[in-house]
């Protein structure tokens, strides 16, 4: 992420709103989030403040109001989060986890086609088996 601090599920909620609106005031963010969650305005303001501290949001003063914009592109943040997740798992389990995720999430027909194309291309260079990366390999000396 912007400064390698992971963001919480609640902070993702704020980021998704700002990515969608491209820029937003705290009042706009609060008004949208209270429709989705049972959060108080002070909770949302705390989340916004944390995201500014983490370098995920920037604040621009416009009169008495701050306008917030994302400091990182949505696609970049999502890719970094997914990479972080998979780096914390055994490499041998990546395919299994991906298959389970595909079963659980909603995908459009075009999403499925993109996945099929990516898998077809990946298959050309894929090893027969992925090595475990949990324990360092012992170095052999000759």
């Amino acid at each position: 992420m912007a400064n390698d601090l992971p963001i919480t599920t609640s902070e993702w909620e704020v980021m998704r709103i700002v990515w969608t609106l491209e820029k937003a005031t705290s009042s706009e963010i609060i008004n949208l989030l209270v429709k989705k969650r049972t959060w108080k305005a002070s909770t949302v303001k705390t989340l916004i403040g944390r995201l500014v501290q983490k370098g995920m949001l920037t604040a621009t003063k416009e009169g008495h109001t701050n306008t917030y914009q994302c400091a990182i592109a949505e696609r970049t943040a999502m890719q970094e989060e997914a990479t972080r997740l998979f780096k914390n798992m055994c490499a041998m389990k990546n395919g299994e986890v991906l298959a389970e995720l595909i079963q659980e999430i909603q995908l459009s027909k075009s999403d499925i086609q993109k996945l099929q194309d990516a898998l077809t291309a990946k298959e050309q260079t894929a090893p027969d088996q992925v090595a475990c990366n949990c324990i360092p390999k012992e170095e052999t000396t000759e």
Side-chain angles (χ1 to χ4, degrees):
M1 301 286 166
N3 67 3
D4 265 355
L5 290 176
I7 62 175
T8 66
T9 302
S10 299
E11 290 168 344
W12 274 103
E13 291 279 346
V14 173
M15 292 298 292
R16 289 172 51 204
I17 285 173
V18 181
W19 278 315
T20 301
L21 298 177
E22 295 183 9
K23 65 179 183 175
T25 65
S26 58
S27 296
E28 291 170 322
I29 298 167
I30 290 164
N31 289 335
L32 290 168
L33 278 175
V34 296
K35 292 176 183 176
K36 289 178 73 175
R37 305 282 183 209
T38 58
W39 295 342
K40 295 181 180 180
S42 59
T43 301
V44 178
K45 287 179 182 180
T46 298
L47 293 170
I48 292 168
R50 286 182 192 162
L51 288 164
V52 170
Q53 287 178 336
K54 291 180 179 183
M56 298 296 292
L57 291 177
T58 60
T60 305
K61 192 82 165 169
E62 294 179 6
H64 296 295
T65 306
N66 280 331
T67 300
Y68 299 95
Q69 288 185 286
C70 294
I72 184 170
E74 183 176 18
R75 186 178 185 137
T76 302
M78 290 182 181
Q79 183 63 42
E80 288 178 9
E81 187 71 12
T83 298
R84 182 188 331 272
L85 171 67
F86 281 95
K87 281 185 177 180
N88 289 325
M89 289 188 284
C90 177
M92 292 175 65
K93 305 288 192 288
N94 288 348
E96 182 181 326
V97 171
L98 280 172
E100 289 174 10
L101 285 172
I102 288 169
Q103 291 297 319
E104 292 178 20
I105 61 174
Q106 186 177 26
L107 296 168
S108 68
K109 289 184 179 191
S110 67
D111 291 333
I112 293 168
Q113 187 59 57
K114 287 176 194 172
L115 287 167
Q116 289 172 333
D117 293 346
L119 288 170
T120 299
K122 187 81 170 173
E123 186 177 30
Q124 304 304 312
T125 59
D128 289 331
Q129 185 176 356
V130 174
C132 176
N133 62 344
C134 299
I135 299 172
K137 292 181 183 178
E138 293 182 10
E139 293 186 39
T140 57
T141 57
E142 295 186 42

